[in-house]
Amino acid sequence: MRALNRKLLRDLMRLRGVVMAIALVLMGGVSTFIMSLSTYDSLVLTQAKYYRDYRFAQVFASLKRAPNSLARRLLDIPGIEKVETRVVAAVNLDIPGFDDPASGQLVSVPDRGKSRFNDLYVRRGRTVDPSRDDEVVISESFANAHQFRPGDTLSATINGRRKALTIVGIVLSPEYIYEIQPGSVFPDYKRYGILWMARAPLAAAYDLEGAFNDVALSLAAGANLDDVLDRLDELLRPYGGRGAYGRHDQLSHKFLAEEFGQLETMATVFPVIFLGVAAFLLNVVIGRLINTEREQIAILKAFGYGNAEIGWHYTKLALLIVAVGLAGGVAVGILLGKGMSAVYQDFYRFPFLEYELKPAVVINAALVAVAAGMAGTLFSVARAVRLPPAEGMRPETPPEYRATLVERIGLQRWFAQPTRMIMRHIERRPLRALLTVIGIASACGVVMVSNFQEDAINYMINVQYGMSSREDLAVNFVEPTSARALHSLRGLTGVTHVEGFRNVPVRLHFEHRSFRTALQGVEPDGDLYRVLDKDQKRIKLPAAGVVMTDYLAKILGMKPGDWVTVEVLEHSEPVLRAAGVARPRTFQFADVLAASQPALRIPLVAVTKQYLGVSAYLQRDALNRLLQEGDVINGAFIATDSRHQSEVYTRLKEMPRVSGTVVREAAIAQFNQTMEQMILFFTMVSAVLGAVIAFGVVYNSARIALSERGRELASLRVLGFTVGEIAYILLGELALLTLMALPLGFMLGRALCAYLVSQFESDLYRIPLIIESDAYSFATMVILVSAVVSGFLVWRRLRQLDLIAVLKTRE
Amino acid sequence: MSTTEANGVVFQARGLTKVYDMGQVQVHALRGVDLDLYSGELLVLLGASGSGKSTLLNILGGLDTATAGHVLYRDRELTTASDSELTEYRRHHVGFVFQFYNLIPSLTARENVAAVTEITRDAMAPEQALAMVGLGERVDHFPAQLSGGEQQRVAIARAIAKRPSVLLCDEPTGALDSTTGVVVLEVLERVNRELGTTTALITHNADIAAMADRVVRLADGRIVDVQRNIKKKPARELRW
Ligand SMILES: Nc1ncnc2c1ncn2[C@@H]1O[C@H](COP(=O)(O)OP(=O)(O)O)[C@@H](O)[C@H]1O
Ligand SMILES: [Mg+2]
């Protein structure tokens, strides 16, 4: 081996502390990069494969009732490739040993053969026997929540009749990756589940023999989704169609797409920060390292080594360090990526996981790392070789110090010599001090982001459920019902307060923009549901006009004073006639355009600040008038006396018209539990990585300072300074820089959170920028602990300073 | 065996001037030096600290460039040479010995020498060079395991292993006690005698001048005196 290569390896060994510290930071950067991007790529790939292999439909529509023969006419619509009709029904469930109200959705599986769309993956047990009317398969999340196994039973109220059902299988479906009860914001697997049963008995129970009330379709290549949706709506309108929609409006897909979008942001933002900081550190530290070698560089030059050879020598040093960090980073990144993907697989209940690490991801990480290492090296080598060798060999002229600002303004008598040394040192190298501060600050910022999520979510829940919707229960009726139904609810023991509401699915139009959501008619002076402004003050719902979620107004590009056009997506209800109220018209956007009906244009009066979902609110009787119906509701908010809660649940289950009950507190608890695992993982990962960055910056700075000032410090020791006193000079400077970095880190963390918040904004939720003091203190703690640990490591080196060496050699 | 002008001129310096520009002050390290160095001779450069000895030597060795004047190495103009020409020059023709040895601490004695021989043509084996300086037994020791005098001998072995045509030594005994210094000077004397290497040796110690063929005195950037020793004193007999 060439002597210089041997020097290289020995230098690496000698510098192993520094090498490991740099490699560690780089590992942090590379592993986050690999972890996040491979997790994201894996999830996207898995989702795509899941959708393809299990034939997730592309278009969905539900309706009141249509004969099976209509399926053929749907096929005639240009752009439609395949059609599968289904029967889908909302049911109340009665689960042995579980008193809370639970509800679900019953979906038919074909009598013969496989489903054309949304095929089921059987996790345990088997699929239903088409000839049996008492067999169901259930979704895995629901099964897990209740520890159901094949063979267990539960009962469902199917069209008013109670029926015992046997679970024969536990399944997964691409259509219900996210199982969320309509009208709810969080999944609650204990109280809401998806069940599949044979079509014939399900159809029979709902008077849908030879008919269907739901349809899934796929598009031919090149089809225009909007055209297809328009044609479908037109065809299904006479059958009580509720508006067809594509995947992007399908609830489960929408949630998933939203989360993947966030994941993509996270997968880009964080690794870029880490890799950036790692690259910066690598650059700085390698630069410093080479500075300390300036004498050896001069020697090599004196003996005839060329600049290129010397440059290449040190580049190899840098590349070896990079290689260590890169190899470790890739290995750890794959490990974490697999772990993280598995966490997500579990979370989304994908039947399988395709772990994918694109070569480009590794190559990019390598390129950034190598470029950073090379830049640091070449820059410093260039500076070192520019020096004539004669100069390189003479001891560096004593650095120029001067009295610091503090001293110049006459405060020096407050500081002892060592403190003056610290201040002068910082003032002499302001850029380096600044870079150190920035490095530590980024570590602080990264840690803050992890904690911020939790604070923000708590705040969201508090506003949404503590101030806005304050009911204990929300019940939905199977169909719009006369408000007289409220009386029977009020009569229940344990119910203290009831407020009816009327929801209607609509598509809102303004200018060229439109959005599918619900119009919510609530009691203007209600206690249980309140619309709030941005200061959480109640907005009084106007007698005429609508109040929109701020985000909805933004989507539609509306401001108060504009008029929104409402396209109602609800079919007529025979029950309303039975209840003695006028049959409502079904309004279609086409009608509106044709007749330009003024009644269906409503002014936007105000916007409400909401963090979850998007809606438009108006007074319930205003909505009733708009729909040309009587005193109609389709659900109610209920406040209960906690002592009688289970009685209320039992009675509600017996009410045939109640299709679903959302227990608020349970939903929140469930949500918190789910989020906690995810957040815990994120907090851990980013705390560790933030600590690694902080440690890398502080430790490397200290080591560099030690290598540059070791002689000075040893001389002080010779003069009788204690280890503690010289440690104060060296580490005191870093402590000061660390403290200076914290406020900057807070600002950086805030900016980072603000960026994430803006990136995560969606119609499902908007995370508020809420950073509680615990986020600041946690970040502070992480930074201080890593600083103290690195300080301790350097302290140990200070104790071993070779005092004799100082006296022996020159200077 | 003694050298004369007849053997040919290795260096020819004319009007060498070096000015260090320090901003407000200009330091005139050399103020027009004319000097010839003859092949095979052992020249001692004498002068007080700051008189410009190192500056002169560094310019001769291609480590630094003059502000004005000319240096000719054989028929090569050094003052106008490019950086890569100077590198090539140092690589194949010059050996340096410095006051503080400047060994590479992470390499053993043998490897320190090899680092230089690897990049030149027909160099000696590192072991041979180390044997010449009397360190045949210590080839695998690291600098930290050697005394100052031993380190300096390794530095000499490193400088001579490439069989340079000139050996430039800047206060090679400056950091050594006199007994150790004498050992080092003996080695230089032997190299000069046996390999015929033209040697320029800087010292501020007038006693050492006795071993030279010629003694050049510098003061304040100028040559103030050139003296030829009729009879050289062997290094072994030097004391200070
Ligand atoms: N790189 C430099 N920058 C500024 N001044 C220098 C530099 N090198 C040497 N000098 C000055 O030039 C003069 C001659 O220095 P030098 O040749 O090292 O003297 P000597 O080797 O005889 O002690 C001194 O005054 C010294 O301070
Ligand atoms: Mg000198």
Side-chain angles (χ1 to χ4, degrees):
Chain A
M1 198 192 302
R2 309 258 299 188
L4 274 203
N5 288 336
R6 216 164 271 165
K7 163 179 176 332
L8 197 70
L9 292 183
R10 294 206 185 115
D11 283 347
L12 277 176
M13 276 310 290
R14 180 171 54 89
L15 297 167
R16 59 188 175 275
V18 175
V19 168
M20 284 321 290
I22 306 174
L24 205 66
V25 172
L26 192 59
M27 251 172 82
V30 171
S31 59
T32 340
F33 190 76
I34 302 245
M35 172 190 79
S36 316
L37 290 179
S38 72
T39 300
Y40 176 71
D41 288 339
S42 304
L43 286 177
V44 168
L45 184 76
T46 303
Q47 181 201 29
K49 191 163 151 52
Y50 188 21
Y51 277 7
R52 190 181 62 235
D53 292 358
Y54 290 82
R55 302 183 295 280
F56 182 47
Q58 285 166 299
V59 177
F60 307 81
S62 61
L63 50 143
K64 185 74 188 158
R65 184 185 206 279
N68 283 340
S69 56
L70 188 70
R72 243 185 326 256
R73 283 178 55 204
L74 296 179
L75 268 178
D76 290 340
I77 297 178
I80 284 187
E81 188 193 42
K82 283 185 195 152
V83 173
E84 181 165 70
T85 63
R86 309 189 287 188
V87 174
V88 175
V91 290
N92 273 328
L93 300 174
D94 204 352
I95 297 158
F98 186 71
D99 286 338
D100 290 12
S103 55
Q105 181 137 311
L106 260 179
V107 182
S108 69
V109 294
D111 290 336
R112 275 182 306 278
K114 270 194 160 296
S115 298
R116 255 181 219 131
F117 299 117
N118 312 324
D119 203 5
L120 301 178
Y121 170 89
V122 181
R123 185 79 100 184
R124 298 171 71 185
R126 57 171 173 86
T127 53
V128 293
D129 180 343
S131 64
R132 304 281 303 232
D133 69 348
D134 60 349
E135 287 187 359
V136 287
V137 294
I138 65 173
S139 60
E140 188 180 52
S141 351
F142 182 52
N144 284 357
H146 291 284
Q147 282 153 1
F148 278 135
R149 279 187 241 179
D152 288 349
T153 57
L154 76 171
S155 50
T157 312
I158 300 178
N159 209 8
R161 278 185 301 275
R162 211 172 133 110
K163 173 127 188 94
L165 299 169
T166 304
I167 299 164
V168 298
I170 288 159
V171 299
L172 302 172
S173 160
E175 193 181 0
Y176 297 101
I177 293 172
Y178 250 105
E179 287 168 47
I180 294 184
Q181 183 168 14
S184 179
V185 222
F186 315 125
D188 181 352
Y189 303 122
K190 261 194 146 64
R191 291 165 193 80
Y192 184 72
I194 311 293
L195 302 81
W196 287 262
M197 75 183 282
R199 174 157 178 175
L202 187 60
Y206 285 95
D207 299 323
L208 286 167
E209 284 132 325
F212 65 94
N213 69 353
D214 194 280
V215 60
L217 313 97
S218 64
L219 295 172
N224 180 318
L225 177 66
D226 287 333
D227 291 347
V228 169
L229 293 182
D230 283 347
R231 300 289 298 272
L232 263 176
D233 281 349
E234 203 176 305
L235 235 149
L236 295 177
R237 189 183 313 149
Y239 304 96
R242 265 169 243 202
Y245 51 93
R247 277 184 183 177
H248 66 271
D249 277 325
Q250 202 262 352
L251 205 56
S252 164
H253 177 84
K254 190 171 173 162
F255 264 88
L256 213 58
E258 204 49 61
E259 295 222 348
F260 280 14
Q262 288 183 14
L263 214 58
E264 193 180 9
T265 306
M266 298 284 267
T268 330
V269 173
F270 278 90
V272 165
I273 295 176
F274 275 109
L275 215 51
V277 172
F280 151 70
L281 269 185
L282 192 65
N283 188 312
V284 170
V285 176
I286 287 193
R288 301 269 172 277
L289 198 67
I290 285 164
N291 257 10
T292 64
E293 297 255 312
R294 75 183 227 136
E295 220 182 281
Q296 301 198 21
I297 290 176
I299 276 294
L300 293 175
K301 277 199 77 176
F303 282 100
Y305 277 88
N307 294 349
E309 283 162 303
I310 295 172
W312 173 231
H313 173 70
Y314 285 99
T315 305
K316 278 193 287 190
L317 177 75
L319 288 183
L320 277 172
I321 299 179
V322 168
V324 172
L326 202 60
V330 170
V332 172
I334 290 177
L335 218 68
L336 286 178
K338 285 190 171 159
M340 182 108 151
S341 302
V343 168
Y344 275 112
Q345 181 196 357
D346 207 46
F347 187 72
Y348 294 126
R349 307 206 169 277
F350 286 136
F352 49 82
L353 181 77
E354 296 276 312
Y355 182 74
E356 177 171 67
L357 178 60
K358 289 185 181 158
V361 172
V362 179
I363 291 171
N364 281 341
L367 281 182
V368 173
V370 167
M374 298 263 289
T377 310
L378 293 181
F379 184 72
S380 313
V381 169
R383 207 173 38 197
V385 296
R386 212 179 304 131
L387 221 56
E391 203 141 327
M393 252 170 307
R394 65 168 53 232
E396 242 181 312
T397 41
E400 268 179 66
Y401 286 92
R402 53 183 195 152
T404 60
L405 182 66
V406 179
E407 294 166 287
R408 288 196 296 277
I409 59 177
L411 299 178
Q412 73 274 20
R413 67 202 134 102
W414 301 103
F415 301 106
Q417 283 314 322
T419 308
R420 289 190 203 178
M421 287 175 73
I422 291 177
M423 291 189 304
R424 287 182 194 168
H425 200 254
I426 291 179
E427 245 198 49
R428 193 172 70 82
R429 288 274 174 85
L431 184 68
R432 185 195 288 197
L434 181 71
L435 290 179
T436 306
V437 166
I438 290 175
I440 301 173
S442 359
C444 177
V446 163
V447 179
M448 269 179 65
V449 171
S450 61
N451 252 48
F452 137 78
Q453 295 188 343
E454 196 172 354
D455 292 334
I457 287 168
N458 285 340
Y459 180 84
M460 263 161 82
I461 290 179
N462 188 28
V463 170
Q464 182 79 19
Y465 292 105
M467 303 182 189
S468 181
S469 45
R470 296 141 35 101
E471 78 284 359
D472 294 313
L473 301 171
V475 297
N476 292 305
F477 294 116
V478 184
E479 289 168 321
T481 308
S482 159
R484 283 194 292 270
L486 293 176
H487 292 309
S488 50
L489 290 174
R490 285 199 184 99
L492 297 178
T493 338
V495 168
T496 55
H497 189 68
V498 177
E499 284 166 21
F501 62 80
R502 173 74 169 110
N503 283 347
V504 62
V506 292
R507 197 171 282 144
L508 301 178
H509 300 262
F510 181 70
E511 292 171 351
H512 60 280
R513 293 173 286 269
S514 71
F515 191 80
R516 194 186 151 100
T517 178
L519 268 189
Q520 312 233 16
V522 294
E523 297 301 339
D525 306 310
D527 243 359
L528 299 183
Y529 199 93
R530 308 196 292 192
V531 178
L532 305 174
D533 67 10
K534 63 181 192 322
D535 303 316
Q536 280 113 48
K537 289 220 190 55
R538 179 167 196 163
I539 297 176
K540 183 121 176 67
L541 282 179
V546 65
V547 174
M548 272 183 198
T549 310
D550 49 353
Y551 192 70
L552 178 57
K554 193 168 131 187
I555 293 173
L556 291 173
M558 296 182 67
K559 53 188 188 308
D562 291 336
W563 288 65
V564 64
T565 306
V566 179
E567 174 189 358
V568 177
L569 300 172
E570 190 182 76
H571 56 81
S572 56
E573 292 296 338
V575 67
L576 298 186
R577 269 174 280 143
V581 284
R583 177 186 186 280
R585 263 204 60 184
T586 304
F587 295 107
Q588 290 295 330
F589 188 49
D591 299 345
V592 177
L593 286 183
S596 181
Q597 288 224 9
L600 289 172
R601 283 165 52 83
I602 340 175
L604 172 62
V605 179
V607 294
T608 161
K609 180 84 209 158
Q610 277 196 322
Y611 298 111
L612 296 169
V614 292
S615 282
Y617 302 88
L618 63 181
Q619 292 194 6
R620 180 165 69 81
D621 46 357
L623 181 57
N624 288 151
R625 274 198 307 278
L626 190 79
L627 297 172
Q628 298 183 4
E629 63 190 12
D631 192 9
V632 167
I633 57 170
N634 54 356
F637 299 118
I638 300 174
T640 58
D641 179 339
S642 54
R643 283 166 304 176
H644 298 287
Q645 213 147 15
S646 59
E647 281 170 69
V648 175
Y649 294 163
T650 324
R651 298 299 306 279
L652 282 175
K653 279 185 203 178
E654 290 162 0
M655 301 179 108
R657 281 203 205 139
V658 172
S659 75
T661 309
V662 178
V663 182
R664 191 199 50 182
E665 222 154 295
I668 299 171
Q670 175 78 35
F671 174 76
N672 275 340
Q673 202 189 333
T674 331
M675 287 308 289
E676 231 153 62
Q677 295 168 1
M678 300 293 287
I679 288 178
L680 206 67
F681 188 78
F682 271 119
T683 308
M684 227 174 62
V685 168
S686 51
V688 166
L689 291 174
V692 164
I693 293 185
F695 174 80
V697 175
V698 176
Y699 181 74
N700 282 317
S701 304
R703 280 300 303 271
I704 297 289
L706 185 57
S707 72
E708 286 173 352
R709 307 176 67 191
R711 182 177 300 278
E712 176 189 343
L713 297 176
S715 309
L716 289 175
R717 286 277 285 135
V718 171
L719 295 179
F721 278 66
T722 63
V723 174
E725 282 160 344
I726 60 165
Y728 172 74
I729 293 171
L730 185 77
L731 299 178
E733 179 183 338
L734 285 168
L736 190 63
L737 293 182
T738 305
L739 292 182
M740 279 160 60
L742 286 175
L744 186 68
F746 296 156
M747 275 157 58
L748 217 70
R750 228 190 133 74
L752 206 58
C753 292
Y755 174 74
L756 289 181
V757 160
S758 73
Q759 287 294 303
F760 288 2
E761 212 170 59
S762 79
D763 52 315
L764 294 174
Y765 52 84
R766 277 83 46 201
I767 302 173
L769 185 57
I770 301 293
I771 304 172
E772 301 280 355
S773 56
D774 61 338
Y776 292 105
S777 40
F778 181 69
T780 305
M781 193 194 75
V782 170
I783 300 303
L784 290 186
V785 166
S786 5
V788 165
V789 169
S790 35
F792 174 73
L793 292 178
V794 173
W795 164 280
R796 282 200 346 199
R797 290 197 156 255
L798 280 178
R799 291 179 41 161
Q800 294 158 4
L801 264 189
D802 189 349
L803 305 188
I804 312 301
V806 187
L807 303 179
K808 265 210 308 220
T809 39
R810 62 185 167 146
E811 261 192 295
Chain B
M1 47 188 255
S2 170
T3 51
T4 62
E5 283 102 285
N7 286 3
V9 177
V10 181
F11 286 111
Q12 198 173 60
R14 290 296 175 268
L16 263 195
T17 303
K18 179 72 181 183
V19 181
Y20 290 106
D21 198 344
M22 309 282 288
Q24 299 106 316
V25 281
Q26 292 196 331
V27 180
H28 290 262
L30 295 179
R31 302 166 189 264
V33 168
D34 299 331
L35 180 68
D36 290 336
L37 216 72
Y38 305 108
S39 181
E41 83 170 326
L42 199 161
L43 183 93
V44 164
L45 276 169
L46 215 51
S49 178
S51 55
K53 306 180 298 289
S54 298
T55 306
L56 176 59
L57 203 74
N58 289 341
I59 294 175
L60 294 181
L63 290 180
D64 211 342
T65 47
T67 315
H70 296 281
V71 194
L72 225 56
Y73 166 75
R74 299 199 195 278
D75 44 11
R76 203 191 279 240
E77 177 63 79
L78 293 185
T79 19
T80 55
S82 69
D83 188 53
S84 60
E85 282 165 347
L86 283 182
T87 300
E88 197 273 338
Y89 162 63
R90 292 195 302 266
R91 176 184 289 219
H92 297 298
H93 302 277
V94 192
F96 289 102
V97 178
F98 302 103
Q99 181 180 358
F100 297 106
Y101 338 129
N102 293 86
L103 298 179
I104 294 171
S106 53
L107 295 182
T108 61
R110 187 211 316 265
E111 290 158 358
N112 259 290
V113 178
V116 173
T117 57
E118 277 166 357
I119 58 167
T120 48
R121 309 175 280 256
D122 51 62
M124 322 175 185
E127 293 78 4
Q128 191 192 341
L130 286 164
M132 272 195 79
V133 300
L135 284 176
E137 312 288 284
R138 313 289 300 268
V139 292
D140 288 324
H141 288 221
F142 283 93
Q145 298 166 322
L146 297 170
S147 72
E150 287 162 345
Q151 288 187 52
Q152 192 60 298
R153 274 143 72 196
V154 174
I156 295 172
R158 175 174 65 176
I160 60 167
K162 69 166 85 156
R163 305 180 205 277
S165 45
V166 289
L167 185 59
L168 304 177
C169 314
D170 192 345
E171 307 209 26
T173 59
L176 303 172
D177 63 83
S178 78
T179 327
T180 320
V182 166
V183 176
V184 167
L185 291 176
E186 280 182 309
V187 170
L188 289 174
E189 185 183 57
R190 213 178 119 212
V191 168
N192 174 253
R193 190 177 59 233
E194 291 177 8
L195 301 180
T197 315
T198 311
T199 306
L201 194 157
I202 288 181
T203 179
H204 56 257
N205 185 342
D207 296 313
I208 293 176
M211 70 180 281
D213 292 311
R214 246 178 352 137
V215 182
V216 173
R217 269 175 208 281
L218 273 145
D220 199 19
R222 288 193 184 88
I223 294 182
V224 291
D225 181 39
V226 182
Q227 213 183 324
R228 181 168 296 282
N229 281 335
I230 309 302
K231 186 169 174 355
K232 292 203 285 183
K233 205 172 178 182
R236 153 173 45 87
E237 293 169 18
L238 297 176
R239 286 291 173 279
W240 64 85

